[in-house]
Amino acid sequence: MAKFDALDIGLVVAGHGRHYSVETPEGRRVHCHPRGKKSDCVVGDRVRWQTSGDEGVIEHVEPRRNLLFRQDEWKTKSFAANLDQLLVLVAADPVFSESQLSRALIASESAGIVTRIVLNKADLDGIGTARARLAPYTRMGIEVVELALRARPDEARARLEPILRGQATLVLGPSGTGKSTLINLMVPDARAQVGEVSQALNSGRHTTTSTQWYWTDAQRSSALIDSPGFQEFGLRQIDAAELAALMPDLRAHIGDCRFYNCTHRQEPGCGVRAAVERGDITESRYRIYLEILAELGRR
Ligand SMILES: Nc1nc2c(ncn2[C@@H]2O[C@H](COP(=O)(O)OP(=O)(O)OP(=O)(O)O)[C@@H](O)[C@H]2O)c(=O)[nH]1
Ligand SMILES: [Mg+2]
Ligand SMILES: [Zn+2]
C-alpha cells in the first residue's frame, strides 16, 4: 500500500498558476494548493489531497496514463494528462500554420493519444483552400472533421456527440479557431468566454487563458478540456532519430532507406526523399520535418 492511499482522491479540473481546483468523486470542487514549492500537476491529474482549513493541500499526484506537452527552448508547457483523445482545431480563417498543426500531431503521436483534426468555420470562403491543405493529413490516416460550429451548430453537435461519448477529450489549437465555441456548444452551462477574431488578432490576445475541464453530461462520463490557443510549439522532448517515425506519411517510407540510421537529408538511397520526389510526401511536410530536425540538432 502506498502511503497516500488513505487520503481522498480528486481530479484536477482547473489550474490557475500556483493553485488548482480539485473535484471530489461526489462532484464537489475544492480549492487546493500543492504541498511544498513544486506545482507539477496539470488538468486531468488524479491526486491525493487533504483538507486544510476551508481549502485543500495536494499531497501526491497519481501515475499518469499519458501527458500531452510541448517543450520550447526554455520552458516545458503541459497541456493535460490522462486523455482519451485529442481534437486539434484549425479553421478556414484565420489561415492555419501547417507547421503548428504538424507539431501538435507529432506531440500527440509521441504521447500515444488518439487524435482527430477539426476544421471549423466551413461557412467561410477560405474553406476550400483549408480543405485542400488538409488532404495530405486525411491520406496519412488522420480523420478530418469539417464543421461550422457557430454557423451550423445542430449539425456540428450531431457529428461530435458520437466522437466525444465516454471520452476525456482535450481541445487544442491556435487562438481564434473556435475551441471555446465548441465547448459551449457541447456543454450548455459552460459559459466559456468566446472572443471576436478581429479583437483577438489585433491585440495578440488569447480569449481563453487557462485550461479547464468540463463534463458534457450529468453522469460525468464524457469530458471536454478547453485550453488557451498556442503559438509556439517546441518539440524538444522528441529524439531526433525518432522524428520521422512520428510522422505517418514519412514513416511509411523509412523502411526503404539504404541506411538504418538515415536522417533523410542527403544520404544516398533515401526512401523518404524518393517519396517526396514522387509526390507521395508533400514538399511542405518534408520542409516541416527538416525544420524540426534542425531545432532538435541545436540542443
Ligand atoms: N464564421 C464562423 N465563425 C465562427 C465559427 N465558430 C466559431 N466562430 C467564431 O470564431 C471566433 C473565435 O472563437 P473562440 O471559440 O473564442 O476561439 P478559441 O479557439 O477558443 O480562441 P482562444 O480562446 O483565443 O484560443 C468567435 O468570434 C466565434 O464566434 C463558425 O462556425 N463560423
Ligand atoms: Mg477559447
Ligand atoms: Zn532516408
Side-chain angles (χ1 to χ4, degrees):
M1 286 295 268
K3 64 175 179 171
F4 298 108
D5 284 3
L7 299 180
D8 287 329
I9 190 108
L11 171 70
V12 177
V13 290
H16 321 272
R18 290 276 297 130
H19 54 269
Y20 299 90
S21 183
V22 171
E23 188 178 283
T24 68
E26 304 76 45
R28 189 165 58 89
R29 294 196 171 191
V30 186
H31 192 88
C32 283
H33 293 269
R35 165 79 64 200
K37 275 204 295 290
K38 53 180 189 350
S39 73
D40 48 8
C41 55
V42 300
V43 170
D45 265 329
R46 307 252 157 207
V47 295
R48 297 281 174 178
W49 67 282
Q50 56 187 325
T51 305
S52 162
D54 50 9
E55 301 194 337
V57 178
I58 296 168
E59 300 285 356
H60 174 73
V61 181
E62 297 283 299
R64 292 168 178 150
R65 187 150 59 88
N66 56 44
L67 173 69
L68 188 73
F69 68 105
R70 55 169 227 245
Q71 200 168 317
D72 303 334
E73 195 165 2
W74 303 113
K75 65 172 196 300
T76 301
K77 167 86 178 73
S78 294
F79 293 109
N82 302 319
L83 300 167
D84 294 314
Q85 64 179 342
L86 174 68
L87 295 182
V88 183
L89 244 75
V90 294
D93 182 78
V95 172
F96 65 88
S97 151
E98 210 189 320
S99 172
Q100 281 182 353
L101 170 65
S102 293
R103 286 161 184 267
L105 297 174
I106 291 165
S108 71
E109 181 79 23
S110 152
I113 300 165
V114 175
T115 301
R116 288 182 176 83
I117 298 171
V118 171
L119 171 58
N120 186 30
K121 310 195 190 181
D123 53 304
L124 299 182
D125 285 343
I127 190 65
T129 312
R131 192 184 295 140
R133 291 179 72 210
L134 291 176
Y137 295 83
T138 310
R139 279 201 299 277
M140 69 181 85
I142 301 170
E143 189 185 345
V144 177
V145 183
E146 194 174 305
L147 302 174
L149 286 160
R150 190 182 70 187
R152 299 197 292 271
D154 294 337
E155 180 195 309
R157 197 185 296 108
R159 278 299 295 285
L160 287 170
E161 254 161 13
I163 293 172
L164 303 181
R165 193 171 302 130
Q167 312 284 310
T169 306
L170 173 66
V171 185
L172 196 73
S175 204
T177 51
K179 298 181 293 300
S180 297
T181 303
L182 187 153
I183 306 284
N184 287 335
L185 179 69
M186 304 309 291
V187 187
D189 60 354
R191 281 182 235 103
Q193 207 191 334
V194 169
E196 280 314 309
V197 169
S198 54
Q199 217 181 352
L201 291 182
N202 289 342
S203 61
R205 190 176 63 100
H206 298 247
T207 304
T208 303
T209 52
S210 71
T211 303
Q212 178 101 30
W213 178 289
Y214 298 95
W215 295 110
T216 64
D217 56 336
Q219 298 75 37
R220 293 189 290 152
S221 66
S222 311
L224 275 169
I225 305 157
D226 196 5
S227 69
F230 60 76
Q231 275 156 351
E232 220 180 342
F233 204 120
L235 288 172
R236 314 242 162 190
Q237 73 268 35
I238 307 288
D239 178 353
E242 300 299 322
L243 179 60
L246 296 171
M247 301 175 73
D249 46 348
L250 272 69
R251 180 170 63 219
H253 303 283
I254 53 185
D256 303 334
C257 297
R258 186 178 305 163
F259 303 109
Y260 81 98
N261 58 352
C262 187
T263 65
H264 323 301
R265 282 180 300 197
Q266 67 277 310
E267 292 90 338
C270 172
V272 169
R273 286 212 337 277
V276 175
E277 270 147 40
R278 286 196 309 273
D280 292 342
I281 295 171
T282 66
E283 295 279 353
S284 66
R285 283 281 290 178
Y286 183 59
R287 194 169 25 74
I288 290 164
Y289 167 76
L290 293 178
E291 164 195 299
I292 299 168
L293 193 68
E295 279 173 26
L296 298 181
R298 261 189 268 115
R299 257 191 301 219

